[in-house]
Amino acid sequence: MQIVETLNEGLKRGYTLTIKAKDIEARVEGEIRKVAPQMRMPGFRPGKVPANLVRKMHGEALQADALNSSIQEGVQSLVAKEKLRPAMSPSVELVDGYAHGKDAELKVELEVLPDVPTPKVDGLKLERLTVEADEAAIDASVLQLANQQKTYEDAPKGHKAALGDLVVIDFVGKIDGVEFDGGKGEGASIELGSGRMIPGFEEGMIGVTANQEKTITVTFPADYSVDYLKGKEATFDLVINDVRVAKEPKADDDFAKSLGLEGLEQLRGLFKGQIEQELNNLTRTHMKRRLLDQLASSHDFEVPPSMVEAEFEQIWKQLEHEASHDADPEAALKEMEAEKEDYRAIAVRRVRLGLLLSEIGREHKIEISSAEMSRLIQQAAQQYDPKDRQRFVEWIQQDAMASAQLRAPLYEDKVVDFLFSKAEITDRVVTRAELEAAIEADEDEGHVHGPGCGHDHHDHAPKAKKAAAKKPAAAKAAEPAKEEKAAKPAVKKAAAPKAAKAGDEKPAAKKAPAKKAK
């Protein structure tokens, strides 16, 4: 195989590879020798089919397979020989297609990972905002749960139904005086003010009493789920069977025991632990952002455009999704377009910080153990139906990209924890409202965060950027790059027929199984 460098500009590299026809033919011959003993053909004893007949019947497929495997090995050899660290899968194109008996000439283009400067992990100073789980918050949580479990009792005679009461009714719905399908029910229990019914229905029952009959008029929403009812005015003939009032919720031992606990103190202890965990997560979120801010401000280096583009596309798709649910989608999209370059700058910084965290992890030998990876896989598998879980596990184990995506958040957390251990941290006790306000201030200033991302003065933009704040960064990059895995080429459509398989790593049957419906 001959290698000629055609481009070496910044992080971009280009090469032409020439694979000799005799090498491809040698692969074909090897495959024929391998499959011939396994073939069965009328008129020949098992394993005695002549090689020339095997070639005649399967030569085209064997030729394509030989070409594909030659391409893969050629690109991997190029990566190893030139000591390249691809940022994304190399692009591979057959020059002028491929003809049997001819040398295969490949055009290979890729971007390499930059040489990341030695990360500065000393001298980090962070403030940890902490909040204590106070008794009032615990009491409020217990009472809220009690309210959610409320029970009802018959209202006093003559009681007029009010918001919060439970009304038991029979009803018949009509449009233009004619009953419609699905508009009839008996013994329906409706909590007034719950918002379960179409607008005007619950409001129309305020003031009714038990054993009363009433007709109300309502209009179905224009976006109602049943087409023939959309926007239609309807009447409902109601018979009020009963009106019930909610019992005063009591957060006491009896209530706790009704939940299967020993008593109120155990319930309070559970809520205390939950609240403490929530507060700890908020504290970590704020401190992690400040850590990433410091890293972003003290490191600057070139990043691969292909990684930036992939990250930007993820941000943009998330923003488009958010805009589609906005009250004025057209205006939201227009605002996004006006700030497009701001979002691209955020993508640049996300990728840079992802590479930086990766380098910190590599330099300090931070790794994900096989036991930790197994736990991650098993936890993720729980999102799937039992019959699909094993298939999911096999897919993760065989697909390098899927495995990296699953591993990345934990790896980043481990790198961040390492940096916390190196930082000088001062503690300050604040209220929950103050901590949440500090986090909200980050978002209002356009700090778009996610795994491997931080913010700097380029990140300031209007509120729309909050949408991207929830989107994990494409820099999955917190995980050190595995050059041997990144070297799988992606053959462009311009390549010869079947040669496109050269970039395939797994058969179609190994796609991720669909997650179970929730």
Side-chain angles (χ1 to χ4, degrees):
M1 183 180 70
Q2 295 177 347
I3 300 175
V4 178
E5 185 178 70
T6 58
L7 176 65
N8 189 330
E9 192 175 287
L11 300 178
K12 294 183 178 180
R13 300 289 185 273
Y15 301 88
T16 57
L17 305 185
T18 302
I19 303 174
K20 295 297 183 180
K22 64 178 183 179
D23 295 331
I24 299 174
E25 182 59 25
R27 285 180 179 273
V28 174
E29 291 292 338
E31 284 301 308
I32 290 175
R33 287 194 297 271
K34 187 186 300 183
V35 302
Q38 305 168 22
M39 291 195 64
R40 300 289 185 271
M41 185 179 293
F44 296 93
R45 285 182 296 164
K48 298 298 182 179
V49 180
N52 63 328
L53 280 180
V54 176
R55 180 184 288 276
K56 184 176 181 180
M57 294 177 61
H58 303 286
E60 185 177 345
L62 292 172
Q63 191 78 31
D65 288 343
L67 175 61
N68 287 330
S69 58
S70 296
I71 289 174
Q72 281 208 42
E73 286 191 15
V75 174
Q76 290 170 352
S77 177
L78 164 69
V79 168
K81 184 176 181 180
E82 299 295 323
K83 297 180 180 179
L84 302 174
R85 299 173 63 216
M88 305 285 278
S89 294
S91 166
V92 181
E93 182 178 357
L94 274 166
V95 179
D96 298 327
Y98 174 72
H100 177 58
K102 300 277 188 176
D103 293 346
E105 185 175 332
L106 309 177
K107 179 182 178 182
V108 181
E109 294 179 345
L110 69 156
E111 288 176 347
V112 296
L113 294 173
D115 293 326
V116 179
T118 302
K120 304 168 187 175
V121 299
D122 295 321
L124 295 169
K125 294 184 179 181
L126 298 170
E127 183 178 49
R128 180 164 46 207
L129 304 183
T130 60
V131 183
E132 296 179 359
D134 59 21
E135 297 299 310
I138 297 171
D139 289 340
S141 296
V142 173
L143 186 59
Q144 182 181 22
L145 179 63
N147 279 321
Q148 292 170 354
Q149 306 290 326
K150 62 185 174 183
T151 58
Y152 295 88
E153 58 187 2
D154 289 338
K157 188 174 182 180
H159 173 80
K160 294 183 178 180
L163 291 176
D165 290 349
L166 193 73
V167 180
V168 183
I169 64 170
D170 299 336
F171 61 90
V172 177
K174 301 176 183 177
I175 295 178
D176 296 329
V178 179
E179 291 185 26
F180 57 87
D181 290 342
K184 187 175 183 179
E186 295 181 353
S189 296
I190 301 170
E191 181 185 351
L192 302 188
S194 65
R196 289 176 47 217
M197 310 301 286
I198 61 175
F201 197 100
E202 293 171 23
E203 293 84 347
M205 290 189 287
I206 293 176
V208 299
T209 58
N211 302 315
Q212 179 183 345
E213 296 184 3
K214 183 177 183 180
T215 297
I216 60 174
T217 301
V218 297
T219 301
F220 282 93
D223 60 352
Y224 194 66
S225 57
V226 181
D227 286 340
Y228 65 84
L229 295 177
K230 289 180 178 179
K232 293 292 182 66
E233 185 177 85
T235 60
F236 283 88
D237 297 329
L238 311 178
V239 175
I240 313 301
N241 297 324
D242 199 4
V243 176
R244 298 174 182 169
V245 294
K247 290 183 179 180
E248 174 119 10
K250 290 184 179 180
D252 54 17
D253 283 335
D254 289 339
F255 171 65
K257 289 176 181 178
S258 73
L259 300 175
L261 303 176
E262 293 178 359
L264 183 59
E265 282 310 303
Q266 186 182 8
L267 178 59
R268 286 175 54 79
L270 292 174
F271 271 112
K272 182 179 181 181
Q274 179 181 312
I275 292 171
E276 286 176 341
Q277 184 61 49
E278 291 173 359
L279 295 173
N280 289 338
N281 289 341
L282 290 173
T283 294
R284 180 183 174 85
T285 295
H286 181 263
M287 192 163 69
K288 178 179 175 181
R289 290 184 176 185
R290 294 308 176 195
L291 168 69
L292 296 178
D293 289 347
Q294 290 187 41
L295 292 175
S297 64
S298 58
H299 297 83
D300 187 19
F301 51 86
E302 186 180 8
V303 294
S306 58
M307 293 181 73
V308 172
E309 189 60 31
E311 179 66 17
F312 173 75
E313 286 181 8
Q314 288 199 36
I315 293 173
W316 199 251
K317 285 179 182 177
Q318 176 67 16
L319 290 169
E320 287 180 327
H321 175 75
E322 296 287 338
S324 68
H325 292 81
D326 194 88
D328 188 347
E330 188 174 339
L333 287 171
K334 187 175 181 181
E335 183 180 3
M336 282 167 49
E337 287 290 343
E339 299 158 3
K340 201 165 190 175
E341 290 311 306
D342 290 336
Y343 292 115
R344 196 173 294 279
I346 289 170
V348 170
R349 204 170 48 124
R350 280 189 173 188
V351 171
R352 183 177 292 124
L353 278 203
L355 294 172
L356 184 60
L357 290 175
S358 174
E359 182 63 19
I360 292 171
R362 186 196 64 78
E363 183 175 325
H364 296 280
K365 297 180 172 55
I366 296 170
E367 297 178 346
I368 300 294
S369 69
S370 57
E372 288 173 326
M373 192 61 195
S374 294
R375 282 196 295 273
L376 284 177
I377 293 174
Q378 293 305 320
Q379 288 169 2
Q382 298 308 308
Q383 302 175 66
Y384 296 85
D385 289 322
K387 61 183 176 61
D388 288 329
R389 287 174 187 168
Q390 184 56 38
R391 192 154 61 95
F392 168 79
V393 171
E394 293 172 358
W395 175 66
I396 289 293
Q397 291 172 339
Q398 296 177 23
D399 191 293
M401 182 62 73
S403 178
Q405 288 176 324
L406 184 63
R407 182 191 297 112
L410 176 59
Y411 186 85
E412 179 186 279
D413 280 343
K414 295 185 78 167
V415 175
V416 167
D417 286 338
F418 166 77
L419 292 172
F420 284 164
S421 73
K422 300 286 289 184
E424 179 185 328
I425 298 176
T426 57
D427 290 290
R428 179 160 63 96
V429 178
V430 296
T431 65
R432 179 170 185 150
E434 289 171 331
L435 177 54
E436 290 176 338
I439 295 172
E440 181 71 17
D442 283 347
E443 295 175 354
D444 285 343
E445 291 173 13
H447 298 3
V448 179
H449 294 272
C453 54
H455 80 275
D456 60 23
H457 62 280
H458 295 297
D459 285 355
H460 300 290
K463 294 179 180 178
K465 284 198 170 58
K466 287 185 182 180
K470 301 175 183 177
K471 182 67 179 177
K476 307 170 184 99
E479 180 75 14
K482 304 273 195 304
E483 287 84 355
E484 69 278 7
K485 291 180 180 177
K488 299 293 185 182
V491 180
K492 292 183 179 178
K493 290 182 180 178
K498 299 197 177 186
K501 292 182 181 177
D504 295 347
E505 295 184 9
K506 300 291 174 288
K510 294 299 182 182
K511 289 181 181 178
K515 291 183 181 179
K516 64 184 178 183
K518 294 186 178 180

